[in-house]
Amino acid sequence: MIRRAVLVVLGLVWLGPTYLLLINAARPAGSYDPGSAWVPSGDFALFENFGRALESADLTQSLASTALYSFVSPLLGVLVGALAGYTIVVLRLKYGFWWFLLIFGGTIFPSQMLLVPLFVGYSDAGLYDSRLGMILIYTAINVPLAAFVLRNFYSGVAFSIFEAARMDGASTWRIFWRIYLPISASALTAVFILEFTFIWNDLIFGLTLTQTEEVRPVMTAIAGLMTDVYAGTPVPVGLAAGLVVSLPTVVLFLATQRLFARGLSLGSV
């Protein structure tokens, strides 16, 4: 009984910020009062506030850019990661374990350590504030996780499948494309979902590597909108923008949670 009560209290504390976000994002823009933030207003103006955010921050272009990054970069990332896992495990690349450590080792460093060299490098290479530059950095960030999951997955696949395909005259590329890639679809999908969510919600790389409205990710645009609260942007408008923009990742995860869990469990073999 005591344990259940403690869990209920902890759950309420955990859901407190979500409750504040929901009721204040749906509050009419002009009726926000910090003193009554915990009390619902009785009105529902969520989509009105979001429409106002779309106009004031021009979120349409940022949403289009974020959708591009969130689909293209994970696709490239899982493909390159699958190729890395296939080469290391199935083709038995010489010093494959050390190559894997080289690919995955970069993830031990905090992202904040990469910001200054990335900014300088992107500025010198002409990639700063470009969609190509954002696709490249997001793809590079996604490859290590995909390589890790697919390396583990391919380690559990019988090597006799590769040998039989080679005896039938199939090339290494054809074996990868027609056999190994299809059988790892669940693991690939799980990694894609995880990386899609990361890119959609990214803020730090968007702040560092973008500037214009048509290139910057949507979370960066919303962060800029929230900094204008004291310059005339109502709090409910910023909260509504953040809430509505976050819905695609929530819907995607809820719709694919079984496939996501199955894919990661396969990748942990």
Side-chain angles (χ1 to χ4, degrees):
M1 187 67 180
I2 296 177
R3 180 184 300 178
R4 182 175 298 179
V6 171
L7 290 175
V8 170
V9 172
L10 291 177
L12 292 175
V13 171
W14 179 264
L15 292 174
T18 304
Y19 169 77
L20 282 173
L21 171 64
L22 291 173
I23 64 171
N24 288 291
R27 189 186 303 273
S31 65
Y32 177 75
D33 180 13
S36 59
W38 289 90
V39 182
S41 66
D43 298 319
F44 186 81
L46 175 64
F47 296 109
E48 179 182 343
N49 292 335
F50 180 66
R52 184 169 173 177
L54 281 176
E55 295 178 1
S56 59
D58 196 14
L59 295 182
T60 304
Q61 296 187 69
S62 297
L63 280 169
S65 296
T66 303
L68 175 67
Y69 306 149
S70 299
F71 280 102
V72 175
S73 293
L75 283 175
L76 293 175
V78 297
L79 179 59
V80 174
L83 282 169
Y86 174 75
T87 303
I88 292 171
V89 175
V90 182
L91 301 185
R92 299 181 178 180
L93 178 68
K94 188 176 182 180
Y95 306 117
F97 178 73
W98 297 105
W99 281 109
F100 171 73
L101 286 184
L102 179 64
I103 296 172
F104 195 72
T107 60
I108 66 175
F109 300 105
S111 300
Q112 291 81 355
M113 293 179 60
L114 307 175
L115 297 181
V116 173
L118 271 175
F119 177 80
V120 174
Y122 265 49
S123 299
D124 292 342
L127 293 173
Y128 177 75
D129 196 34
S130 69
R131 287 180 172 177
L132 175 61
M134 296 304 294
I135 290 174
L136 288 176
I137 185 59
Y138 285 140
T139 301
I141 292 172
N142 291 333
V143 167
L145 176 61
F148 173 75
V149 174
L150 272 301
R151 173 183 175 270
N152 292 343
F153 180 86
Y154 292 146
S155 297
V157 177
F159 186 69
S160 58
I161 295 178
F162 176 80
E163 292 178 321
R166 288 293 291 165
M167 290 183 64
D168 288 339
S171 64
T172 54
W173 170 255
R174 187 177 182 86
I175 295 171
F176 169 75
W177 190 256
R178 292 295 183 90
I179 299 177
Y180 279 83
L181 203 61
I183 65 176
S184 60
S186 296
L188 290 169
T189 303
V191 176
F192 177 88
I193 295 169
L194 198 61
E195 294 177 346
F196 177 95
T197 303
F198 166 75
I199 295 173
W200 188 276
N201 293 325
D202 173 64
L203 173 64
I204 189 170
F205 290 106
L207 283 173
T208 306
L209 302 176
T210 64
Q211 184 177 13
T212 56
E213 295 176 348
E214 61 270 15
V215 176
R216 64 184 180 182
V218 68
M219 291 302 172
T220 305
I222 292 176
L225 180 68
M226 292 301 294
T227 58
D228 292 335
V229 166
Y230 297 105
T233 301
V235 172
V237 172
L239 295 178
L243 177 61
V244 175
V245 165
S246 299
L247 289 179
T249 57
V250 176
V251 172
L252 177 65
F253 179 78
L254 292 177
T256 59
Q257 56 181 326
R258 290 187 178 180
L259 182 60
F260 177 78
R262 180 172 178 267
L264 288 186
S265 64
L266 288 174
S268 63
V269 174

